[in-house]
Amino acid sequence: MRIRYSSIKEIFKQMLCVGAVVLLSCKLVYAKALQIETYATLIPVNEAELSSDVTAKITAIYYQAGDQFDKGDKLVQFDCTHIEAEISKIKAKLKLAEVTLRSNLKLQQLNGISDIDLAKSQSEYDQIKADLTIWENKQKNCTIYAPYSGEVIALFANNNEVVKADDPVIGIVNNYDLDVQMYLPSKWLNQLKIGSQFQLKLKEVHAHIFTGNITKIIGRIDPASQSMLVIGKLGDSSGYTLFSGMSGVAHFKVDAMENSDDKAKEK
């Protein structure tokens, strides 16, 4: 009898199955390389809407939308003459309280003052000193300094406007440090890990394919979409100007496990 085998895989399957006493099924499992893709967006590591802690009038905005700045630069200045006046008044009270306290300390050495009166003068001095600290901190908030190097992306107020405490004044972003945000099917979680490589093609940069690596896998799976949030970092992007909000498609390589019977059914 002449036996024909359709393929080497089939011969291998038959060899595995020969000699079995009770054979219910015999399947070959092999790995098939797949390339999966997902939508990706560039997001900034540092982005903020800065506000003042005081209610005051804006006297100067040093940078407009689109302007770049360095860490520590002055961004916005407020009119805080009322705070400066309050500080001067508190300093005068503090000076008097300090003189009184010193005098009472000398009287204590001569037993010329009660402990209660000394404690009162000490308490008054401490309270005034604490008030001075509070107002000096308010004075520091009269100027908004850049917390990092970046670019102005929005202004929410203008010169000579009075803004309330905690109202946003200026929006900034650092486009020099960007992450890649992606959502991937959770079924690939066992094959993706920190350091896994991907390729990214941005819609705004047609002529180049960037290479990156996964840096974070957020430990939560969305039950509706069965997807997980993954954060990545691009490798060398020198020569290309990238902005937050750019988007494209990221490609990953994974192994899909199939068996020979399933493959035959597909045919």
Side-chain angles (χ1 to χ4, degrees):
M1 179 182 296
R2 188 177 181 182
I3 301 176
R4 292 185 178 179
Y5 296 103
S6 59
S7 66
I8 295 177
K9 291 180 181 178
E10 190 65 26
I11 294 174
F12 183 56
K13 176 182 175 181
Q14 294 293 334
M15 291 174 64
L16 288 178
C17 296
V18 170
V21 178
V22 178
L23 182 61
L24 297 178
S25 65
C26 186
K27 297 181 179 179
L28 288 180
V29 178
Y30 58 94
K32 178 182 178 181
L34 290 180
Q35 186 176 79
I36 59 174
E37 60 182 37
T38 184
Y39 181 78
T41 307
L42 298 186
I43 59 173
V45 175
N46 292 307
E47 182 178 8
E49 291 182 357
L50 304 181
S51 60
S52 172
D53 291 338
V54 296
T55 298
K57 182 175 72 173
I58 297 175
T59 58
I61 298 177
Y62 298 101
Y63 295 90
Q64 299 297 314
D67 291 343
Q68 296 184 345
F69 54 83
D70 294 324
K71 180 179 179 180
D73 285 351
K74 286 184 179 180
L75 300 179
V76 181
Q77 182 67 50
F78 297 93
D79 179 12
C80 290
T81 53
H82 64 293
I83 293 179
E84 294 170 359
E86 188 67 27
I87 288 175
S88 297
K89 184 170 66 175
I90 293 174
K91 282 183 176 179
K93 290 182 178 179
L94 183 63
K95 186 176 181 179
L96 178 60
E98 185 179 5
V99 171
T100 302
L101 178 60
R102 287 180 179 178
S103 176
N104 289 341
L105 287 172
K106 290 180 180 180
L107 288 174
Q108 184 191 36
Q109 294 176 357
L110 301 173
N111 294 322
I113 189 173
S114 66
D115 291 342
I116 294 178
D117 289 337
L118 178 63
K120 286 181 179 179
S121 61
Q122 180 69 58
S123 175
E124 183 179 359
Y125 173 81
D126 292 340
Q127 289 179 17
I128 296 174
K129 190 175 181 179
D131 288 341
L132 179 61
T133 301
I134 292 173
W135 282 93
E136 285 179 338
N137 287 333
K138 288 183 178 181
Q139 186 181 39
K140 292 178 182 179
N141 293 323
C142 289
T143 305
I144 297 179
Y145 294 93
Y148 44 78
S149 298
E151 179 182 338
V152 177
I153 55 174
L155 291 175
F156 305 105
N158 299 306
N159 278 329
N160 300 313
E161 286 185 1
V162 176
V163 294
K164 297 180 180 178
D166 298 328
D167 282 350
V169 177
I170 187 170
I172 62 173
V173 66
N174 179 5
N175 282 315
Y176 307 114
D177 189 9
L178 300 171
D179 280 342
V180 184
Q181 179 178 276
M182 302 163 283
Y183 286 90
L184 291 170
S186 58
K187 65 180 180 180
W188 304 117
L189 179 60
N190 62 332
Q191 295 195 50
L192 299 175
K193 58 183 180 180
I194 304 299
S196 293
Q197 192 178 84
F198 63 88
Q199 291 185 322
L200 174 63
K201 188 170 184 179
L202 295 170
K203 292 185 294 185
E204 296 84 358
V205 186
H206 302 285
H208 186 74
I209 297 178
F210 298 90
T211 300
N213 298 91
I214 292 177
T215 56
K216 296 178 184 178
I217 298 177
I218 310 304
R220 182 181 182 276
I221 296 175
D222 180 67
S225 63
Q226 288 297 296
S227 62
M228 56 187 177
L229 174 60
V230 175
I231 304 297
K233 205 78 172 178
L234 295 181
D236 183 20
S237 59
S238 57
Y240 296 91
T241 302
L242 303 181
F243 298 101
S244 61
M246 285 183 170
S247 60
V249 178
H251 298 269
F252 291 83
K253 287 184 178 180
V254 296
D255 291 333
M257 304 305 294
E258 296 184 353
N259 61 69
S260 57
D261 286 356
D262 292 339
K263 191 173 183 64
K265 289 178 182 179
E266 292 177 1
K267 292 181 177 180

